[in-house]
């Protein structure tokens, strides 16, 4: 399985599972409650996750293709941000290599999506 196929599969699973997970993680105030160990990497992952979800909250246009691409750019950026956290804190050589591949693939896809939006989001 190549990195693009793996990335697409992980993305699809995450998008399908997120609503159910978010519902299960609701605290008493209605906000997501997450356990944290307070480590530097956990704090970085929490920030990357929060930023990604905030940036994915777009105003929908009703144009499916445009809305998909506009939503996916911050999602891909979140993957890059998480991969960079892995490179900063991770130790496993195989996972560090995966993080490097994720960055390369997601940066290329973001570039393509931004170019597509420049031509099609009018």
């Amino acid at each position: 399985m190549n990195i693009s196929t793996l990335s697409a599969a992980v993305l699809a699973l995450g998008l399908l599972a997120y609503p159910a997970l978010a519902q299960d993680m609701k605290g008493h105030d209605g906000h997501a409650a997450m356990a944290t160990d307070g480590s530097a990497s956990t704090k970085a992952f929490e920030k990357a996750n929060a930023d990604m979800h905030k940036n994915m909250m777009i105003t929908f246009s009703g144009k499916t293709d445009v809305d998909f691409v506009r939503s996916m750019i911050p999602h891909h950026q979140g993957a890059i941000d998480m991969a960079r956290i892995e490179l900063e804190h991770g130790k496993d050589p195989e996972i560090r290599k995966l993080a490097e591949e994720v960055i390369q693939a997601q940066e290329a896809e973001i570039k393509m999506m931004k170019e597509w939006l420049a031509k099609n989001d009018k």
Side-chain angles (χ1 to χ4, degrees):
M1 180 179 299
N2 67 33
I3 191 69
S4 294
T5 303
L6 179 60
S7 295
V10 169
L11 169 64
L13 181 60
L15 289 173
L16 291 172
Y18 180 74
L21 290 173
Q23 185 63 34
D24 286 344
M25 293 170 27
K26 293 278 184 188
H28 293 291
D29 62 357
H31 291 93
M34 295 183 195
T36 181
D37 65 4
S39 70
S41 64
T42 296
K43 289 177 183 177
F45 281 128
E46 289 172 338
K47 181 179 181 332
N49 191 39
D51 290 348
M52 178 185 68
H53 284 101
K54 181 185 80 166
N55 293 332
M56 287 177 65
M57 299 304 295
I58 65 166
T59 300
F60 292 99
S61 68
K63 300 176 200 170
T64 304
D65 298 328
V66 169
D67 292 345
F68 172 72
V69 172
R70 288 178 59 229
S71 297
M72 289 306 294
I73 290 171
H75 191 273
H76 279 38
Q77 184 61 55
I80 292 168
D81 296 343
M82 288 185 280
R84 288 187 175 137
I85 296 164
E86 167 59 26
L87 292 176
E88 183 176 345
H89 300 280
K91 306 285 188 248
D92 186 280
E94 183 178 13
I95 299 304
R96 290 177 56 80
K97 182 179 185 306
L98 173 63
E100 290 170 350
E101 292 170 354
V102 165
I103 291 168
Q104 182 179 10
Q106 300 299 302
E107 284 178 341
E109 290 180 13
I110 287 172
K111 180 179 183 287
M112 174 269 176
M113 288 186 282
K114 286 181 175 180
E115 289 170 355
W116 185 89
L117 276 176
K119 292 185 270 186
N120 295 283
D121 187 17
K122 302 191 188 312

